[in-house]
Amino acid sequence: MQLIDVTFLFISSLLTAGLYALSSYSITLVYGVLKIVDVSQGALITLGAYIAYTLKTLFDIDPVVTSLIAAPAFFAYGYFGHYEIAKRVLEKYSGGRVLENSLLLFFGVLLALTGVTYLVWKGDIKAVNTAYTLAAVELFGLRIYLTRIVIFLYAIVVTALMIYLLNRTYTGTAIRAVSQDLESSLACGIEVEKMFRTSFGIACALSSAAGSILTLALAFSPIIGIEFILIAIVVTVVGGLGNFTGAFLGALIFAVVDSLGVLIVGPAYAKVVALAMMVVVLVVRPQGLFGERGRV
Amino acid sequence: MKRSLLYGAIAAVIVVAVAVAFVVPNLFVQRRPAPQEIVVGAVLPLSGRLSEIGIYYKLGYELYISEVNKNGGVYVKEFDKRIPIRLVVYDDESDPTKSATQLERLITVEKVHLILGGYSTPLVQAQAPVAERYKMPYITAGLITSGVHLTEDGKRRYQYLFGLLSSIKNLALTTIEMLKQEIDAGRLPKPLKIATVNENTDHGREYLAGLKEGARKYPGYFEIVYEAFYNIGEKDFTPILTAIKQSGANAMLNDMRLGDYITMHRQYTTLGLCHLVVSYGPRGPEGIAIKELGTAAENVFGGQWWSPADPRPEVQEFNRKWEAWVRERNLDLPPEFYGALAYEAARTLVWAIEKAGSIDPDAVWKALRTLDSPENGLKPSIVIGGVIYFPEETGGQINNPILLAQVQDGKPVIVYPKESATGTFRVNKC
């Protein structure tokens, strides 16, 4: 393989990382703040994809625009609905089994919401076709997918916004405080429940946005969210649970390892290399490559 | 003298005993009363993810059975009369576990006389052992994978399973046959250098095995220069496409799921790749692919197990019947292979009942076993090749050719075999 092909693969995989990063942010945020793993975000990714498909089919709305339109609705669902589900677990199992029970509960929610998707849209493969779906950008003799560039830039903007929100606003500071020390936050007068709700709202909005955006690059069915949430778990473990910058860097590493793995062990086993990397990270650095315990 | 008398007496007793044993019982045997109706059961995915296809099978079965019942039913020699058929369909909710349980319920609780097959490999895979256990002949038009018909060492897996869909391996072999014709006609170079990427399943492995078998059959015609398996749901095909580009292939023959085909072919087109011939196995000319890929789908070809565009008169006649049937039910379901081959499955079962002269599952099974070659097959038929047969060497799976359709000017055109073709094959200009 020539150097130009390896360079092309490297650039292409970096751009693909945008997709993985976006889909991992909701898990990152919920884990960072509430210390629970919300796998049901996968179903919201799927819903985001189907809403993008529906709006594109009915009103010719671009998925990027749909992601902005749908985000407030999903925020509201997270704030009022999804949080209520989590709250029951938190209240009932606050004695120390929150993580285990949240996994079970949200896995159930994931299956239920995926079932709803089947009910409404059936199980057929869907795809969204935009004016730039097949477009490419020529860069030093390399053809780069325009859709991947759009997704990557979108991911950069979302990452920057999240970092700004968490570091430069009162709500963000309060969320970080809650994630680091719940009792001290309560003592300081922070409305902890409101911060939990807000975190869920943001997470659900991020998932729907990720779902809308992925339609630019992929055909999908109701299991697309389940596929992405598995990748998201790997990405967040590698990058650092509960850490946005870590998740973004984790996505970059995952995408590059996955791509180069295809060249080394073939496409059927490339994911094994990526998963082996996750196991190594878990053993050597359990908090992830860029993670610090209790930090968002 | 005394001894000979004794022997004579013994012989006489034996003769009388044999006569009593064989003749007398028949004097008291009464012919079984004819049933009011023949109950045929089927378990189909009428809800869940496969429900949109499951309905085609139900309608196909119902259509043929309605035709039979219009003529007073099926003639059963055992009862010397025509008996109407009643179809009982249970829903398995697209769930293999429920599929097996529901079939068992049909046989043991509903006590159906005979059964018809389900749809989709996992569901048929779950049902086939149940049919085998109860020794019920099971005709399915919903199973492609030959691994269900045959064991790893090539033996028939299920004695009671009869399949109306040709194998995926046969699709690869059909593709090779067509491409050989193109090479012979000078429209493709010799050898044709093939790159092949297949899903990492029995389906994909079988397709690759078919390509290799075909390439071996015609030495010097084909050379496989790149082969790889990918995992279903792959998000980024760029590394594979880069390797294909490196391989120097001038043909790309893949076996892929619809979603993966759309995702990969978008990336293929965006990267500016071009091969003289491009196929995604059973994928290519679907409406959704043509819609979402637009001009990128042009000249992509794929296999079809049946097509309403097949110009044979019997196919066109079926299309008319189907359209009227769904119109009566206010349904908007154009003719598809699911419904057409379900219709043929029901027809085969009725043929077997007539041939057996009985509704006894064992007799019907024996009748079906006589359809073991194209010469002994059920014809005419709307299946490709026009004959229904279940050879032993394929484990009871029909071995007829498969239609190859190519996207031409945004529409699917049948290009192979000749008798069903509605257009000629086009080679990409790269």
Side-chain angles (χ1 to χ4, degrees):
Chain A
M1 186 154 287
Q2 295 170 347
L3 184 63
I4 191 161
D5 291 317
V6 176
T7 310
F8 166 68
L9 273 184
F10 187 73
I11 294 170
S12 171
S13 57
L14 286 183
L15 295 177
T16 307
L19 209 52
Y20 301 150
L22 274 175
S23 60
S24 67
Y25 285 165
S26 53
I27 278 205
T28 298
L29 182 63
V30 172
Y31 183 83
V33 179
L34 291 103
K35 304 295 176 282
I36 56 177
V37 180
D38 183 2
V39 290
S40 70
Q41 293 295 331
L44 301 177
I45 291 175
T46 306
L47 283 173
Y50 275 92
I51 288 169
Y53 166 80
T54 307
L55 293 187
K56 181 76 181 77
T57 309
L58 295 180
F59 307 111
D60 198 26
I61 297 175
D62 191 278
V64 176
V65 179
T66 300
S67 71
L68 304 177
I69 297 171
F74 277 84
F75 178 88
Y77 163 72
Y79 193 94
F80 296 107
H82 210 69
Y83 173 72
E84 288 301 325
I85 299 168
K87 189 181 171 188
R88 289 173 194 277
V89 178
L90 289 167
E91 280 178 356
K92 201 169 181 182
Y93 299 106
S94 54
R97 295 189 61 201
V98 175
L99 185 64
E100 297 92 322
N101 288 292
S102 70
L103 265 173
L104 284 175
L105 175 85
F106 286 119
F107 189 67
V109 176
L110 172 71
L111 293 180
L113 289 176
T114 305
V116 169
T117 313
Y118 273 115
L119 207 63
V120 178
W121 286 279
K122 310 294 179 196
D124 294 344
I125 299 291
K126 307 282 186 206
V128 171
N129 200 8
T130 64
Y132 54 97
T133 296
L134 300 175
V137 174
E138 291 273 351
L139 202 68
F140 305 114
L142 302 173
R143 284 175 71 88
I144 311 288
Y145 312 111
L146 182 56
T147 49
R148 296 289 164 102
I149 294 174
V150 171
I151 292 167
F152 187 75
L153 291 177
Y154 190 97
I156 295 270
V157 169
V158 169
T159 311
L161 278 175
M162 287 310 299
I163 291 171
Y164 176 81
L165 176 82
L166 290 169
N167 294 291
R168 295 278 184 269
T169 66
Y170 169 76
T171 305
T173 310
I175 287 174
R176 284 167 54 222
V178 169
S179 76
Q180 287 167 19
D181 193 331
L182 187 63
E183 285 172 9
S184 301
S185 302
L186 278 167
C188 291
I190 294 173
E191 292 176 273
V192 171
E193 181 160 335
K194 192 177 172 187
M195 291 308 122
F196 283 163
R197 283 183 183 278
T198 307
S199 301
F200 264 111
I202 295 171
C204 293
L206 287 171
S207 287
S208 77
S212 297
I213 291 300
L214 72 84
T215 62
L216 289 177
L218 304 171
F220 57 94
S221 73
I223 60 163
I224 189 78
I226 297 175
E227 292 171 1
F228 265 97
I229 216 65
L230 294 176
I231 294 172
I233 289 171
V234 179
V235 163
T236 46
V237 166
V238 170
L241 278 163
N243 180 339
F244 267 91
T245 316
F248 187 78
L249 295 172
L252 289 178
I253 292 169
F254 176 83
V256 171
V257 169
D258 189 36
S259 250
L260 298 180
V262 172
L263 298 181
I264 298 162
V265 296
Y269 304 103
K271 290 280 182 299
V272 177
V273 177
L275 290 171
M277 173 186 70
M278 182 184 80
V279 173
V280 170
V281 169
L282 271 175
V283 171
V284 177
R285 197 175 157 80
Q287 70 270 37
L289 292 176
F290 310 99
E292 289 173 38
R293 289 185 188 281
R295 183 170 171 232
V296 175
Chain B
M1 183 67 186
K2 274 184 185 172
R3 184 168 285 185
S4 62
L5 265 175
L6 180 64
Y7 287 153
I10 290 170
V13 167
I14 289 171
V15 168
V16 170
V18 169
V20 167
F22 283 92
V23 178
V24 173
N26 284 333
L27 296 176
F28 298 97
V29 167
Q30 285 184 339
R31 181 177 281 178
R32 268 200 300 171
Q36 293 292 311
E37 55 190 9
I38 300 170
V39 186
V40 173
V43 179
L44 293 168
L46 299 177
S47 61
R49 67 191 177 88
L50 298 171
S51 59
E52 284 189 354
I53 296 174
I55 186 71
Y56 272 93
Y57 283 86
K58 184 169 179 278
L59 288 165
Y61 291 156
E62 286 174 347
L63 173 57
Y64 187 72
I65 288 170
S66 80
E67 286 177 13
V68 171
N69 288 345
K70 262 183 207 162
N71 294 325
V74 52
Y75 176 73
V76 186
K77 194 178 172 192
E78 182 186 353
F79 307 113
D80 191 25
K81 65 183 286 197
R82 288 189 172 276
I83 306 172
I85 300 174
R86 179 165 64 91
L87 180 71
V88 179
V89 179
Y90 282 0
D91 178 16
D92 59 22
E93 299 164 39
S94 310
D95 178 344
T97 313
K98 283 182 187 156
S99 205
T101 317
Q102 292 286 60
L103 186 63
E104 193 148 18
R105 218 181 106 210
L106 264 181
I107 296 169
T108 57
V109 180
E110 193 80 38
K111 294 198 184 302
V112 296
H113 295 107
L114 292 159
I115 54 175
L116 280 165
Y119 165 72
S120 97
T121 298
L123 302 181
V124 173
Q125 232 167 346
Q127 290 184 20
V130 179
E132 191 81 358
R133 199 181 323 137
Y134 289 96
K135 297 189 186 305
M136 279 281 199
Y138 182 92
I139 308 166
T140 176
L143 172 72
I144 290 172
T145 313
S146 64
V148 182
H149 284 274
L150 292 168
T151 59
E152 286 70 22
D153 53 355
K155 294 197 176 106
R156 188 174 184 140
R157 193 184 290 276
Y158 298 110
Q159 298 301 317
Y160 290 79
L161 176 63
F162 300 91
L164 271 172
L165 287 179
S166 207
S167 70
I168 196 75
K169 187 177 167 188
N170 221 7
L171 167 61
L173 289 167
T174 305
T175 302
I176 289 288
E177 291 295 336
M178 185 196 70
L179 294 178
K180 182 187 172 282
Q181 281 185 13
E182 295 297 313
I183 293 170
D184 286 338
R187 286 189 286 269
L188 285 173
K190 184 182 173 183
L192 192 64
K193 292 182 177 176
I194 299 170
T196 177
V197 182
N198 304 298
E199 59 178 62
N200 192 16
T201 60
D202 284 349
H203 201 281
R205 276 184 281 278
E206 207 177 305
Y207 184 80
L208 179 62
L211 283 185
K212 286 183 172 174
E213 191 179 314
R216 275 195 304 273
K217 191 175 167 190
Y218 300 113
Y221 275 81
F222 303 99
E223 187 187 339
I224 296 177
V225 293
Y226 177 79
E227 63 177 79
F229 290 106
Y230 78 97
N231 292 320
I232 292 167
E234 181 62 60
K235 310 285 175 289
D236 187 11
F237 287 97
T238 316
I240 298 174
L241 291 169
T242 308
I244 288 176
K245 191 177 152 196
Q246 288 292 316
S247 72
N250 48 20
M252 186 172 77
L253 306 175
N254 305 329
D255 176 42
M256 289 196 165
R257 301 280 167 107
L258 180 59
D260 298 329
Y261 153 45
I262 294 174
T263 298
M264 177 166 166
H265 202 66
R266 276 180 172 180
Q267 294 174 11
Y268 173 93
T269 309
T270 309
L271 292 178
L273 297 184
C274 182
H275 292 86
L276 297 174
V277 290
V278 176
S279 174
Y280 286 85
R283 305 297 172 198
E286 289 95 338
I288 180 180
I290 293 173
K291 183 177 154 229
E292 301 306 342
L293 288 166
T295 52
E298 203 59 17
N299 291 350
V300 172
F301 73 98
Q304 291 189 330
W305 277 256
W306 185 84
S307 168
D310 189 331
R312 288 180 294 150
E314 54 270 31
V315 173
Q316 296 311 310
E317 172 63 19
F318 170 81
N319 289 346
R320 281 190 287 276
K321 285 193 281 193
W322 176 271
E323 281 157 6
W325 184 248
V326 293
R327 206 180 310 119
E328 278 171 28
R329 279 149 192 79
N330 292 320
L331 294 169
D332 182 23
L333 298 172
E336 289 273 1
F337 91 75
Y338 315 112
L341 296 186
Y343 176 93
E344 286 299 273
R347 193 166 83 89
T348 308
L349 181 67
V350 168
W351 173 88
I353 295 170
E354 281 178 343
K355 163 100 176 164
S358 168
I359 55 170
D360 174 50
D362 191 55
V364 172
W365 173 71
K366 281 177 181 153
L368 286 169
R369 292 294 291 244
T370 64
L371 301 172
D372 57 358
S373 65
E375 296 74 36
N376 299 332
L378 172 58
K379 53 197 155 192
S381 163
I382 60 171
V383 300
I384 318 297
V387 190
I388 293 172
Y389 65 105
F390 309 109
E392 186 63 20
E393 62 270 21
T394 57
Q397 183 173 26
I398 195 170
N399 201 23
N400 59 348
I402 289 168
L403 288 180
L404 295 177
Q406 186 176 40
V407 183
Q408 294 184 358
D409 306 321
K411 286 179 187 153
V413 172
I414 300 171
V415 291
Y416 189 86
K418 202 174 159 188
E419 59 271 22
S420 297
T422 55
T424 49
F425 184 70
R426 287 182 188 170
V427 173
N428 278 323
K429 292 182 180 72
C430 294

